[in-house]
Each structure stands twice: as structure tokens, then as C-alpha cells.
Amino acid sequence: MSGLFQKLLDTYRYALSQGDPRTEDWFFMDSFVPTAIIMGSYVVLIVIGLQVMKNRKPWTLRSVLVPYNLFLVLLSVYLCHQIFHSAIESKYNIICQGVEKTSHPRVIRMASLMWWFHISKILELMDTMFLILRKKNSQVTFLHCYHHFTMVCNTWLSVKYAPGGQNFFIALLNSFVHVIMYSYYGLAALGPHMQKHLWWKRHLTHLQLVGTT
């Protein structure tokens, strides 16, 4: 057993050593352990949260949801704007863009935007927690949880091994959709009186599918 563990440890260390040297010292990038702990906690909190809230009344959370969604709207606007302009400046190919290996400021800028995109996916794990506390259990589906889980892992891998390149388009499209999505959630959190202004809700699901959100 110790021999197998050592092989797994060696494989893990080797995989880390193959990461992009430009991002290896960035927060969360020197090891996968912090991300693994976050994702493990995410799964545990889902299980515990569903059990704890089973016989309790739902929380409204309006005072939390409004600023939370507003913050994510602003963050998504920032990412969308910055990624778009960085891609234009670098003359990125929307169809097939390789990862630039230089340390030019514009290349590092795109890499840092991919890192911020990763951080935004960690923050968005709170979506699930809020759904559980509000007892919106029908929305806490396997697909919902799987999406949030894999987005955090995939964006970590992106920043660790390929910060930039074609990943820019996914981040750009995802951020654009999230501007609209979190705007809707924020307005809906204001109360029932906003429902008449949210007629475009039926189009949101289609937009989310297009934006791989």
C-alpha cells in the first residue's frame, strides 16, 4: 500500500511540475490541495445542508442575495470587458487560438484574467448553498452541482497548464451570460413586485445553454 501511495504522490508531483511556470506562484496554483478541499467541502455541505433544512422553514436571504448577485454582475462585466479587449489587443483567433508562452505583459494580463475567472467559479459555489437555505431543492439537481464542481476544477487546470489560448472564448462567453443571469437573480431577489419586469426569464435557460453556464 505504501508503494502505491508513493507512486501516486510521485505522479501528483510530476503533474504539478508540468504546470505553466508563469502561474505556479499564484494563489491556489502551487497545489491542487486547496481546490480539492474546497470541492470536498462543497459536496459535504450540500449533503449536510439538505438534511439540516429538511424540517426547517426556508430562509429569505434578500439582504444577502441582492448584494451577492450585484457583486457577481459587476465581476462578470469586468471579466467580459477585459477579456474581450485583451483578446482584441492580442489579435486572438476565435476559432483556434494557441497558448502564448511568452511573459509579455499582454500575455500575462490574459493569464491573470483566466485566474480571476477561476476565482469567480469558486465564489459561484454559493449559488448552491443559497438554494439549499431557501429550500429550492428542485433546483439542486445533479446537473447543477456537477456543473459548479467541474467548472472550478476545469478552470484550475486551465490556469495551471494553459492560461490563455482558446480558453479565452469560453471565459468570455460565460462571463457575458453571467452578466444577464445574475442581473435576473438579483432583480428576482428584490421581491414578487419585480416579477412583471422579468418577462425575459423564459429566454434565460436558452442563453445559459449557449453560454455553457
Side-chain angles (χ1 to χ4, degrees):
M1 182 63 71
S2 60
L4 176 60
F5 176 78
Q6 187 60 48
K7 287 182 179 179
L8 291 173
L9 185 60
D10 291 342
T11 301
Y12 170 71
R13 288 172 176 170
Y14 174 76
L16 286 180
S17 71
Q18 300 304 300
D20 194 308
R22 296 169 299 176
T23 63
E24 63 181 354
D25 294 328
W26 294 5
F27 191 56
F28 281 148
M29 290 298 113
D30 62 331
S31 170
F32 186 67
V33 173
T35 302
I37 292 174
I38 290 172
M39 300 318 300
S41 301
Y42 174 68
V43 174
V44 170
L45 286 174
I46 290 173
V47 175
I48 294 177
L50 289 172
Q51 288 299 316
V52 169
M53 292 301 297
K54 188 174 183 180
N55 298 313
R56 286 178 168 80
K57 294 182 179 180
W59 297 15
T60 56
L61 298 176
R62 182 178 302 175
S63 61
V64 176
L65 288 174
V66 173
Y68 169 77
N69 285 294
L70 175 60
F71 174 77
L72 287 179
V73 168
L74 295 176
L75 179 57
S76 297
V77 167
Y78 171 80
L79 287 171
C80 191
H81 178 269
Q82 291 298 315
I83 292 170
F84 177 78
H85 281 280
S86 185
I88 293 296
E89 179 185 356
S90 300
K91 298 179 180 179
Y92 270 20
N93 188 323
I94 196 173
I95 302 300
C96 183
Q97 175 61 48
V99 178
E100 298 181 87
K101 297 295 185 180
T102 72
S103 294
H104 190 281
R106 64 173 177 77
V107 178
I108 298 301
R109 178 190 177 195
M110 181 62 84
S112 68
L113 288 170
M114 294 301 100
W115 180 85
W116 276 110
F117 183 64
H118 168 63
I119 296 301
S120 74
K121 298 304 111 181
I122 295 176
L123 296 176
E124 288 168 13
L125 296 176
M126 289 303 300
D127 289 2
T128 312
M129 301 302 113
F130 291 142
L131 288 174
I132 292 173
L133 291 174
R134 296 167 66 207
K135 299 194 75 170
K136 303 285 186 178
N137 294 353
S138 62
Q139 297 180 45
V140 187
T141 62
F142 172 79
L143 183 60
H144 168 92
C145 300
Y146 175 81
H147 166 74
H148 279 287
F149 189 98
T150 55
M151 282 298 288
V152 173
C153 295
N154 289 342
T155 52
W156 184 89
L157 290 170
S158 170
V159 179
K160 182 65 178 177
Y161 298 101
Q166 194 60 36
N167 292 322
F168 92 93
F169 186 68
I170 296 174
L172 177 62
L173 187 58
N174 185 273
S175 297
F176 171 73
V177 172
H178 278 206
V179 171
I180 300 172
M181 186 179 80
Y182 284 108
S183 293
Y184 167 80
Y185 291 156
L187 290 171
L190 291 173
H193 66 282
M194 292 300 299
Q195 293 303 315
K196 61 182 179 181
H197 302 295
L198 301 177
W199 54 267
W200 42 277
K201 176 184 178 181
R202 61 182 179 274
H203 301 296
L204 187 58
T205 301
H206 297 94
L207 190 62
Q208 287 174 303
L209 292 173
V210 172
T212 63
T213 61

